[in-house]
Amino acid sequence: EVQLVESGGGLVQPGGSLRLSCAASGFTFSYYSMNWVRQAPGRGLEWVSYISSSSRTTFYADSVKGRFTISRDNAKNSLYLQMNSLKDEDTAVYYCARDTFAGSGPNWFDPWGRGTQVTVSS
Amino acid sequence: DIQMTQSPSTLSASVGDRVTITCRASQSISTWLAWYQQRPGKAPKLLIYKASSLESGVPSRFSGSGSGTEFTLTISSLQPDDFATYYCQQYKSYSAFGQGTKVEIK
């Protein structure tokens, strides 16, 4: 069974840092690009970041560019999101989602993990 | 950046109704569009990709159409499991989602 499990969320003060992880299983992780998508409380979905299968290509939403860094470890079947200089508006559930292909930018996402909650508050 | 706008934001319907949700892109995205369903407290689920291709395992009452800047998701006969929020997503340039359409019980 294809499965994605996020972890690393929690409560952090504004200006702080957090590192999210996503553990993948049930498929050949190194064959697929991956994405992070977030959802603020009561709001819609917001694409955050993309990484190609080889890590050669990364993309970011303007709202997080320069503050967040996406990475992956294919040997550990894991995806990461390093979040620095966190702001109140970064409060959201963060989902990892498998992309359709190995590279060329985001496509449609399937499946998604269950998400991890990040709360930025003093 | 490509902006996605869905209408309506909320839709009240009854079991058995035919439901249509519209998604408009701020510029042409050809058929680089997907649709997702999200139930409360759950992760989004892929329904449609490439504007009109039905994901495996998704009931045939769901269908998608459109190209360029205007797209629709249609549920031919609404079932109890279908009361949820639906999102469109463009992947022509990076990625972006519409704001969502909540389908609620009338």
Side-chain angles (χ1 to χ4, degrees):
Chain A
E1 179 195 3
V2 175
Q3 196 169 12
L4 298 169
V5 179
E6 302 92 338
S7 61
L11 174 63
V12 60
Q13 292 187 337
S17 298
L18 212 53
R19 188 196 196 206
L20 304 184
S21 299
C22 171
S25 60
F27 65 101
T28 305
F29 182 69
S30 61
Y31 286 4
Y32 293 88
S33 298
M34 296 293 295
N35 296 270
W36 288 99
V37 178
R38 68 183 181 184
Q39 187 168 34
R43 305 293 296 274
L45 301 171
E46 180 188 13
W47 171 76
V48 172
S49 186
Y50 162 95
I51 187 167
S52 63
S53 60
S54 66
S55 302
R56 189 171 304 163
T57 302
T58 59
F59 297 125
Y60 298 92
D62 287 344
S63 57
V64 306
K65 201 173 294 182
R67 300 188 299 122
F68 289 11
T69 301
I70 191 171
S71 63
R72 65 190 293 161
D73 185 336
N74 287 345
K76 294 183 177 179
N77 293 335
S78 293
L79 174 73
Y80 306 102
L81 186 68
Q82 177 66 44
M83 305 186 296
N84 298 332
S85 304
L86 282 162
K87 307 175 181 179
D88 290 352
E89 52 264 40
D90 295 319
T91 294
V93 174
Y94 284 73
Y95 297 99
C96 67
R98 189 181 73 174
D99 207 283
T100 312
F101 303 113
S104 79
N107 292 275
W108 60 94
F109 306 157
D110 180 58
W112 299 53
R114 298 181 69 176
T116 187
Q117 175 70 50
V118 172
T119 302
V120 184
S121 175
S122 54
Chain B
D1 290 1
I2 299 175
Q3 314 297 324
M4 307 301 291
T5 304
Q6 290 181 231
S7 61
S9 296
T10 306
L11 188 160
S12 297
S14 302
V15 172
D17 283 354
R18 181 182 181 87
V19 165
T20 298
I21 298 168
T22 298
C23 176
R24 289 187 173 86
S26 59
Q27 62 189 81
S28 177
I29 58 169
S30 184
T31 56
W32 303 119
L33 185 104
W35 289 97
Y36 299 87
Q37 176 193 67
Q38 187 180 32
R39 297 191 177 100
K42 300 294 186 182
K45 173 188 171 184
L46 176 69
L47 299 176
I48 302 280
Y49 59 94
K50 292 183 184 177
S52 61
S53 296
L54 190 68
E55 171 69 356
S56 176
V58 173
S60 58
R61 64 180 179 272
F62 291 92
S63 64
S65 65
S67 66
T69 62
E70 188 153 336
F71 303 85
T72 59
L73 173 71
T74 300
I75 309 172
S76 60
S77 177
L78 201 63
Q79 298 301 302
D81 268 354
D82 302 338
F83 291 98
T85 301
Y86 294 85
Y87 295 92
C88 61
Q89 175 218 5
Q90 69 82 14
Y91 47 92
K92 170 74 163 55
S93 174
Y94 304 114
S95 184
F97 292 89
Q99 82 278 16
T101 295
K102 183 178 181 181
V103 177
E104 60 180 25
I105 300 173
K106 190 172 185 180

